[in-house]
Amino acid sequence: MAILLLSAFTLKTSVNWKISEGYSIKFSGTDAEGIFKDLTGDVQFDKANPENSSFAFTVAVNSINTGKGMKNKHAVSDKWFDAEKYPNITFKSNSISKEGSAYKVTGIMNIHGVAKEMTIPFSFNGDAFTSKFSVNRMDFGVGTMEGMSKKVSNEIKLDVTIPVAQ
């Protein structure tokens, strides 16, 4: 009986990590750069067995900061993110795998009411997750390719750092 109980506790070895202060979500592209300041999430991660892990993140669209007040207002308007109708950007993992010293998470990214499967590379150094990847804004219907909007590149680069603690 004791062996059965012990084995039940070893099946799930992922750790419930808490997101610490100091996280960073930077984005950049032609004529568009800044940060998102509001991130929440659920991080279950087992470094040795990533297949037992899961991530779920939410970023508040209204937390965008481009460094320019008018650009911030424009970004949350219905011409871009439409924060009133789509207040959050979300990502929920379906699978996590390890490749060498790095990892990949595949899941559903939901931006502007459009859900798409994405695979995102990341690394984990023991107290922070880091990732650099790109999102095509047009895949999610963010902005248009007309008028001043066409000056913004389709590919938006993201540089994400999420410090965590147990």
Side-chain angles (χ1 to χ4, degrees):
M1 179 69 161
I3 292 173
L4 182 60
L5 286 173
L6 288 174
S7 64
F9 287 110
T10 59
L11 290 177
K12 184 169 179 176
T13 58
S14 64
V15 175
N16 184 16
W17 297 89
K18 302 216 182 322
I19 298 173
S20 302
E21 294 294 319
Y23 55 80
S24 169
I25 306 168
K26 298 176 186 174
F27 63 89
S28 62
T30 306
D31 205 40
E33 63 181 48
I35 61 171
F36 285 96
K37 300 190 297 183
D38 188 353
L39 168 76
T40 58
D42 180 41
V43 179
Q44 304 287 324
F45 186 68
D46 179 355
K47 187 172 157 177
N49 299 296
E51 63 277 0
N52 294 335
S53 305
S54 65
F55 298 153
F57 297 108
T58 300
V59 176
V61 171
N62 278 329
S63 74
I64 195 168
N65 185 349
T66 63
K68 297 181 177 158
M70 284 306 290
K71 260 191 177 179
N72 293 346
K73 285 182 182 180
H74 193 64
V76 299
S77 76
D78 61 356
K79 299 205 183 319
W80 284 90
F81 282 105
D82 197 355
E84 188 173 312
K85 189 172 182 181
Y86 308 107
N88 297 311
I89 295 169
T90 61
F91 181 82
K92 183 170 179 17
S93 68
N94 293 330
S95 66
I96 299 174
S97 61
K98 186 172 184 177
E99 293 187 6
S101 63
Y103 300 87
K104 287 188 177 182
V105 58
T106 299
I108 302 298
M109 180 77 74
N110 193 316
I111 303 173
H112 198 244
V114 177
K116 294 213 174 268
E117 184 174 82
M118 290 186 67
T119 298
I120 300 171
F122 72 94
S123 61
F124 180 66
N125 69 5
D127 66 357
F129 294 92
T130 57
S131 181
K132 292 184 181 191
F133 63 100
S134 294
V135 173
N136 185 324
R137 70 181 178 89
M138 297 309 296
D139 287 349
F140 294 94
V142 176
T144 65
M145 287 305 294
E146 299 173 4
M148 295 299 284
S149 295
K150 68 182 173 187
K151 289 175 53 180
V152 176
S153 55
N154 289 350
E155 290 295 319
I156 304 298
K157 295 176 184 162
L158 289 124
D159 187 348
V160 179
T161 300
I162 303 174
V164 291
Q166 292 185 23

